[in-house]
């Protein structure tokens, strides 16, 4: 008998690559997608919610509860990334808007009810934030008891090397550094394991423009077609023959943890440097014998390598119903 599907919740700022992640989580039989929560990031919150509902509609997952959360970072001014993700935040693909509305509760309340229910049934949930960590910081500080219902936080964000929003900082952490620092601190205090799927691996799983074309041809109006359009948008935007599946790689890591190599390392979030604010300072000293700042509380499983080809194939097979050939 196959193992029971892994219960997961995604926290998203949909977002072209969040949409790739949602399609995978919505359609892969090894995952039980319990809820999706939304936060401002790649686009303003209203667009993030609309895009998320559209993707779930296309994926045929109308029953998955969706809630809107924080409309801005804790301290930073909001600054979206529509210069990358399009005016509507999801590639301006012109897909029909969902008729569905989000749950009449804040994302933090939806997370709380789902996680406490999971704690009661003894079936903790893998929480997969793919966006600025504002909702998750508010959740863990407001309702720390939800930790009993979380098996792991597997987040897309940060970097042990270079940034993308700035030379130092990755977008999700840069957008709300205080939230990221709070989440790492709270997880350490509450004993919640954390995996960081950061920029060190983010760009590795690639899908070609030709494969995107095959997806679109296979099922233009359905999930494969949307998946192909999302990749095609990125290829055109970056004038490239392939594009990353981005946030979807973190979902792949939940489905196939053997596809990433992790190192368990101390991580701090830089909150003050003018040019380094939002950097995840990953301490790779070996041996680490002394630090004048003291040892960081947060020790994180940092993804340092990924089987990009395997993750691309996993994504293509799931969203494309095994219709797409070729390698990358
Ligand atoms: C992250 O920022 C966003 O643009 C993507 O959706 C991803 O979550 C990468 O830095
Ligand atoms: Ca994202």
């Amino acid at each position: 008998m196959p193992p029971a599907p892994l219960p997961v919740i995604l926290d998203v700022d949909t977002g072209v690559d969040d949409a790739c992640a949602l399609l995978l989580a919505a359609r892969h039989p090894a995952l039980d997608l319990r809820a999706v929560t939304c936060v401002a990031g790649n686009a303003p919150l209203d667009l993030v919610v609309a895009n998320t509902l559209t993707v779930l509609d296309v994926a045929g997952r109308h029953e998955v509860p969706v809630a809107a959360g924080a409309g801005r970072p804790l301290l930073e001014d909001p600054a979206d990334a529509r210069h990358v993700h399009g005016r509507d935040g999801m590639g301006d693909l012109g897909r029909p808007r969902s008729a569905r509305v989000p749950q009449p509760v804040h994302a933090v309340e939806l997370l709380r009810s789902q996680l406490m229910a999971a704690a009661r049934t003894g079936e903790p949930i893998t929480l997969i934030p793919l966006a600025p960590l504002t909702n998750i910081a508010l959740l863990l500080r407001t309702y720390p008891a939800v930790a009993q219902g979380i098996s792991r936080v597997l987040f897309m964000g940060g970097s042990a090397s270079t940034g993308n929003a700035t030379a130092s900082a990755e977008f999700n952490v840069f957008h709300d550094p205080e939230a990221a620092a709070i989440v790492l601190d709270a997880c350490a205090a509450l004993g919640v394991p954390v995996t960081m799927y950061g920029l060190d691996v983010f760009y590795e799983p690639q899908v070609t423009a030709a494969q995107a074309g095959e997806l679109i041809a296979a099922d233009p109006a359905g999930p494969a077609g949307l998946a192909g359009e999302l990749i095609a948008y990125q290829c055109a935007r970056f004038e490239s023959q392939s594009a990353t599946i981005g946030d979807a790689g973190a979902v792949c890591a939940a489905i196939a943890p053997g596809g990433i190599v992790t190192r368990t390392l101390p991580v701090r979030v830089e909150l003050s440097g003018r040019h380094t604010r939002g950097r995840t300072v990953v301490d790779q000293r070996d041996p680490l014998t002394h630090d004048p700042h003291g040892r960081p509380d947060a020790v994180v499983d940092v993804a340092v390598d990924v089987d990009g080809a395997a993750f691309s194939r996993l994504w293509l097979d799931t969203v494309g119903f095994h219709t797409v050939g070729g390698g990358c």
Side-chain angles (χ1 to χ4, degrees), residues 13 15-18 42 81 84-85 130-132 156-157 164-165 170-172 199 202-203 246-247:
D13 61 338
V16 172
D17 60 317
D18 302 74
N42 288 324
V84 174
H85 293 263
L130 304 172
M156 190 286 130
N164 58 355
E170 180 279 331
F171 176 85
N172 289 339
L199 293 182
F202 180 82
Y203 295 105
D247 290 343

Side-chain angles (χ1 to χ4, degrees), residues 275-289:
H275 298 292
T276 53
R277 181 164 157 78
R279 182 182 186 89
T280 44
V281 181
V282 179
D283 198 333
Q284 301 181 63
R285 289 174 289 178
D286 185 16
L288 172 54
T289 51

Side-chain angles (χ1 to χ4, degrees), residues 26-238:
R27 300 210 54 90
H28 200 284
L31 297 183
D32 173 6
L33 180 60
R34 296 277 175 90
V36 179
T37 51
C38 298
V39 66
N42 288 324
L45 185 62
D46 58 336
L47 292 177
V48 170
V49 172
N51 293 338
T52 300
L53 290 169
T54 295
V55 176
L56 290 174
D57 277 9
V58 173
R61 296 299 304 272
H62 308 84
E63 85 291 1
V64 175
V66 172
R72 52 156 298 148
L74 296 179
L75 207 55
E76 282 287 329
D77 290 330
D80 64 50
R82 281 184 289 171
H83 56 287
V84 174
H85 293 263
R87 281 186 310 280
D88 72 353
M90 204 174 73
D92 300 318
L93 304 177
R95 290 263 167 178
R97 276 206 162 207
S98 173
R100 213 160 47 111
V101 292
Q103 302 284 303
V105 294
H106 193 279
V108 167
E109 298 302 330
L110 178 59
L111 286 162
R112 176 187 180 225
S113 60
Q114 291 281 340
L115 295 169
M116 292 313 294
R120 281 192 295 278
T121 58
E123 198 189 9
I125 289 172
T126 300
L127 187 54
I128 310 181
L130 304 172
L133 288 151
T134 324
N135 284 343
I136 313 305
L138 292 169
L139 171 77
L140 293 174
R141 285 297 194 238
T142 311
Y143 301 120
V146 299
Q148 301 157 39
I150 305 175
S151 60
R152 176 170 290 273
V153 170
L154 195 176
F155 78 101
M156 190 286 130
S159 170
S161 49
T162 190
N164 58 355
T166 70
S168 283
E170 180 279 331
F171 176 85
N172 289 339
V173 179
F174 180 73
H175 191 84
D176 195 342
E178 280 73 21
I182 287 170
V183 168
L184 292 187
D185 180 72
C187 286
L190 298 167
V192 176
V194 178
T195 299
M196 178 173 121
Y197 185 93
L199 293 182
D200 313 287
V201 289
F202 180 82
Y203 295 105
E204 283 292 314
Q206 293 271 323
V207 171
T208 65
Q211 289 170 322
E214 287 184 57
L215 286 168
I216 295 168
D219 173 30
L226 175 56
E229 288 176 357
L230 292 164
I231 295 295
Y233 169 81
Q234 293 191 79
C235 291
R237 171 71 183 75
F238 297 109

